[in-house]
Amino acid sequence: MGPRMEVILRPTAEAAADLVARIIARELRANPHLVLGLATGRTMEAVYARLVRFHREEGLDFSLCSTFNLDEYVGLPPTDRHSFRHYMNHHLFLQVNIDLRNTHLPDGRAGDLEAECRAYEALIKRFGGIDLQLLGIGRSGHIGFNEPLSALQSRTRVKALSPVTVAQNAPLFGGEDQVPRRAITMGVGTILEARRCLLLATGEEKADLIARAVEGPITAMISATALQLHPRCTVVVDEAAAGRLRCTEYYRWIFENEPEWEPFRPPAGAA
Ligand code: F6R
């Protein structure tokens, strides 16, 4: 199959997260040395819960894989419960048999942040690049923390969070004044180099952004639109997040009929 972007619609948020977890599990079984790019956020919690279940119930093996997270707040120690390191340990790493030495996040407390960003890029290269990059989409249209006007060729760097993103994360921190104003994030160009991208969005509040990201013009104002340039990007949405897409009948046909999706289709009669 040639380069393509695909949109897969699932009836519920649970079914969408389940499909994403099964895509990851399948790639991991096919290549135990998989280099996985990971994301944090509320949407991903359901994905990690399923991966943990696959590990416990089906023996899904993480022992040889390595991970690179998209981003980390500047200034937060890994022990801070708001840090993405803490999130990852809690939701995934400490619940499966991954070797923590193979799990990587940018160090938001590095003395020289620019050197840290360069080192992160070099480390990804040393591991042979990212095989499968998991992505969410933020209210500002960001992937990672690539806020509006992130250059489409940007690399890992320090990025100031937009007011929309600060507001999105404020409830988690107990107020906008508690949210760190800067983060280290992989760049759009870094993300586009992953061999496969897998974006998950659920809920009505993502519907407008998903329509713009998938069917709208490519713009640095919405970094998720850059995924249209990626040779192998799968976008998984629930019905609520698909609410503003125009070509849904076409997307449904592809999931129901393309042989590649056969292993992921629920048996007839099931949800
Ligand atoms: C987090 C990240 C962000 C989130 C996005 C969606 O590592 O990279 O781009 O994926 O902000 O967050 P939720 O899922 O909380 O809506």
Side-chain angles (χ1 to χ4, degrees), residues 31-262:
N31 173 15
H33 292 273
L34 196 72
V35 180
L36 252 180
L38 297 174
T40 59
R42 272 154 291 188
T43 315
M44 296 306 153
E45 289 178 22
V47 174
Y48 297 140
R50 275 164 182 78
L51 289 177
V52 169
R53 211 178 67 209
F54 295 160
H55 169 69
R56 290 193 186 142
E57 294 175 3
E58 297 163 23
L60 184 64
D61 181 15
F62 290 83
S63 63
L64 298 175
C65 87
S66 340
T67 66
F68 285 90
N69 267 75
L70 285 165
D71 40 22
E72 179 61 283
Y73 290 112
V74 167
L76 295 192
T79 47
D80 189 300
R81 66 189 176 90
H82 297 305
S83 73
F84 288 160
R85 164 55 78 179
H86 182 271
Y87 172 108
M88 289 312 306
N89 284 351
H90 176 75
H91 289 288
L92 185 66
F93 298 156
L94 297 180
Q95 312 218 42
V96 296
N97 66 334
I98 200 162
D99 183 340
L100 279 179
R101 288 169 303 184
N102 292 337
T103 67
H104 307 96
L105 288 93
D107 179 1
R109 285 197 316 163
D112 183 342
L113 290 169
E114 278 183 28
E116 170 64 14
C117 294
R118 283 194 302 274
Y120 201 63
E121 288 273 339
L123 198 59
I124 292 172
K125 286 216 169 66
R126 185 134 50 87
F127 275 72
I130 291 168
D131 293 310
L132 174 63
Q133 177 65 57
L134 186 58
L135 298 162
I137 183 168
R139 266 189 236 162
S140 68
H142 68 206
I143 47 177
F145 272 134
N146 290 289
E147 300 289 50
L149 283 184
S150 288
L152 300 185
Q153 299 194 21
S154 51
R155 312 300 309 186
T156 302
R157 69 214 183 291
V158 176
K159 193 75 192 159
L161 304 193
S162 68
V164 173
T165 297
V166 171
Q168 175 190 321
N169 293 335
L172 298 169
F173 282 85
E176 288 197 9
D177 51 335
Q178 306 294 313
V179 183
R181 285 314 200 254
R182 297 186 307 153
I184 294 182
T185 180
M186 280 187 207
V188 180
T190 319
I191 293 168
L192 291 180
E193 275 171 18
R195 287 178 196 95
R196 183 175 184 185
C197 286
L198 183 56
L199 185 144
L200 171 64
T202 56
E204 204 188 331
E205 69 275 11
K206 301 279 170 80
D208 183 48
L209 281 166
I210 281 295
R212 296 217 257 163
V214 174
E215 295 177 341
I218 296 172
T219 166
M221 287 302 289
I222 302 175
S223 61
T225 61
L227 295 170
Q228 296 174 31
L229 296 167
H230 194 277
R232 180 84 214 270
C233 178
T234 306
V235 176
V236 179
V237 286
D238 66 351
E239 289 289 345
R244 300 257 175 111
L245 288 168
R246 282 185 304 240
C247 300
T248 47
E249 288 319 308
Y250 179 55
Y251 307 144
R252 277 187 230 282
W253 190 92
I254 288 174
F255 185 65
E256 293 308 326
N257 294 281
E258 288 290 351
E260 186 212 339
W261 290 106
E262 213 256 296

